[in-house]
Amino acid sequence: MLEAIRRAMTLLRQKQILHKLGVVISVAVIGIACYVLYHMLRGIDTNEVIEAIKSTEPRQIGMAALFVAAGYFTLTFYDLFAVRAIGHSKVPYRVNALAAFTSYSIGHNVGASVFTGGAVRYRIYSAYGLNAIDVAKICFLAGLTFWLGNAAVLGLGISYHPEAAASIDQLPPWLNRTIALMIIVGLVAYVVWVWTQPRVVGRGPWTVVLPGGPLTLLQIAIGIIDLGFCALAMYVLVPDEPNLGFVVVAVIFVSATLLGFASHSPGGLGVFDAAMLVGLWQMDREELLGGMLLFRVLYYLSPFVISVILLTFREVIIGARSKRLQQAALKLDPGPPPKAAYVRKRSDSTGV
């Protein structure tokens, strides 16, 4: 059975069917989101949205900013965990933090985060002796942490409050709860699978040893904490009335985030917004839209600007340091005299 599945997956990869299917799904998600967003935003009063943003209390914005900062701080442990898992324990935590923060914030905004985030990680980690294969393994393990955390949050949240997901997927609550329980069972089965013996994926130099049971539980905990802080930031900014509770907002937020991630659009633009507006239909649209715009400034725009500044300073410092080293090397070893001076000296000595 497993061999048949492996052969089928190999055939799909050779025919690039999975890639084509992914493109079709992305385009379909973006198209549906644009259609929904167009109908949801018809009749929106821009002045009321601006007024809703202005009326947001500074305390709310400050709390949301703190939760966003805590979320990004948790993101640094994605890279710390992944780098340690592939055996590069000598890379300092500050490097892990810089790589995680900049790769995620740039990847979130530019889109195609697998490639953009991977390029940023490679630029940073290559200075510490890591090659492209090492960076690919880091991206894989960090992504695994992300998906394990999402599976845990969605599974637990939807099983507790299936009506929250029903507002987005339009499925009956009992079916949502069944799917959520299946997600939890699958998550438990995966933990048991990696706990019983070492598990390996990939071939040759691309081989990755999956974290064992205890480390997988740590991955799940990191993912849950990260998503929890992000959901708290969104919860603080959405309208107070009607008070749907944190679990409902968290489930809808994570679902909207995953849809945005599946679309590969920069920051899930359009897809995330449409899912939030549909999922939280009970709330005032102008106030909800104002809160979502503030969230985008705090979670997407501000970290992106900070990341660009940090990477620019880093490149300037590296360039200046490299120039100083070159100048010091020239002073220690000026090299042979210029060829013209050597010829001239030889001519003088021979009288020619």
Side-chain angles (χ1 to χ4, degrees):
M1 181 66 178
L2 291 175
E3 186 61 30
I5 294 174
R6 191 176 294 111
R7 286 198 299 268
M9 293 298 293
T10 302
L11 178 63
L12 290 175
R13 281 196 295 267
Q14 291 175 347
K15 299 292 185 180
Q16 293 189 334
I17 295 176
L18 292 177
H19 173 71
K20 294 175 183 177
L21 182 62
V23 173
V24 171
I25 292 174
S26 297
V27 172
V29 170
I30 293 174
I32 294 171
C34 290
Y35 174 79
V36 172
L37 198 61
Y38 170 75
H39 285 277
M40 292 293 294
L41 295 181
R42 281 197 307 178
I44 286 286
D45 191 336
T46 307
N47 293 327
E48 289 189 19
V49 175
I50 296 174
E51 188 60 34
I53 295 175
K54 290 180 179 179
S55 62
T56 304
E57 297 181 9
R59 178 184 60 83
Q60 292 176 269
I61 299 175
M63 288 180 62
L66 285 176
F67 288 135
V68 167
Y72 272 100
F73 172 70
T74 309
L75 275 179
T76 65
F77 292 98
Y78 282 44
D79 274 48
L80 178 66
F81 179 91
V83 172
R84 297 298 187 273
I86 65 172
H88 289 273
S89 57
K90 293 183 179 180
V91 179
Y93 167 72
R94 67 177 186 279
V95 177
N96 301 139
L98 177 65
F101 176 72
T102 54
S103 62
Y104 278 110
S105 56
I106 291 176
H108 285 333
N109 286 274
V110 177
S113 57
V114 173
F115 302 104
T116 54
V120 173
R121 279 191 174 103
Y122 179 75
R123 179 61 182 166
I124 294 173
Y125 284 128
S126 59
Y128 288 84
L130 276 69
N131 57 32
I133 296 177
D134 293 327
V135 173
K137 292 178 180 179
I138 292 170
C139 292
F140 170 76
L141 289 172
L144 181 62
T145 303
F146 171 79
W147 285 107
L148 288 173
N150 274 279
V153 171
L154 282 179
L156 295 173
I158 296 176
S159 61
Y160 175 75
H161 206 308
E163 293 82 5
S167 60
I168 293 181
D169 58 25
Q170 303 300 310
L171 296 176
W174 67 267
L175 183 55
N176 276 326
R177 177 167 282 156
T178 302
I179 295 172
L181 293 175
M182 290 173 62
I183 292 173
I184 294 174
V185 170
L187 197 59
V188 172
Y190 174 80
V191 173
V192 173
W193 181 64
V194 296
W195 203 309
T196 53
Q197 67 182 62
R199 303 292 180 176
V200 177
V201 294
R203 294 180 179 178
W206 299 93
T207 299
V208 178
V209 179
L210 294 175
L215 291 179
T216 300
L217 293 178
L218 178 60
Q219 280 183 291
I220 294 172
I222 293 172
I224 290 175
I225 294 170
D226 168 40
L227 291 168
F229 279 128
C230 296
L232 279 170
M234 188 78 255
Y235 179 69
V236 169
L237 294 173
V238 298
D240 295 330
E241 296 296 334
N243 187 4
L244 302 178
F246 172 70
V247 174
V248 174
V249 175
V251 168
I252 293 172
F253 171 80
V254 174
S255 302
T257 300
L258 290 180
L259 286 172
F261 185 82
S263 70
H264 296 290
S265 64
L269 193 62
V271 179
F272 172 83
D273 310 280
M276 289 292 292
L277 288 168
V278 170
L280 299 175
W281 58 270
Q282 306 95 327
M283 296 182 177
D284 181 83
R285 287 186 300 173
E286 284 80 6
E287 292 183 7
L288 177 58
L289 193 58
M292 290 162 54
L293 290 174
L294 285 172
F295 179 81
R296 282 198 172 276
V297 171
L298 294 173
Y299 190 79
Y300 291 100
L301 185 59
S302 298
F304 178 72
V305 172
I306 294 172
S307 294
V308 171
I309 293 172
L310 288 175
L311 290 177
T312 302
F313 279 146
R314 180 180 182 273
E315 294 301 320
V316 170
I317 293 171
I318 290 176
R321 187 179 300 166
S322 177
K323 189 175 181 180
R324 286 198 303 270
L325 290 174
Q326 290 176 357
Q327 291 173 348
L330 287 173
K331 289 179 181 179
L332 292 173
D333 184 14
K339 185 177 181 181
Y342 175 72
V343 172
R344 205 164 41 244
K345 184 176 180 181
R346 186 167 178 265
S347 300
D348 293 341
S349 63
T350 56
V352 180

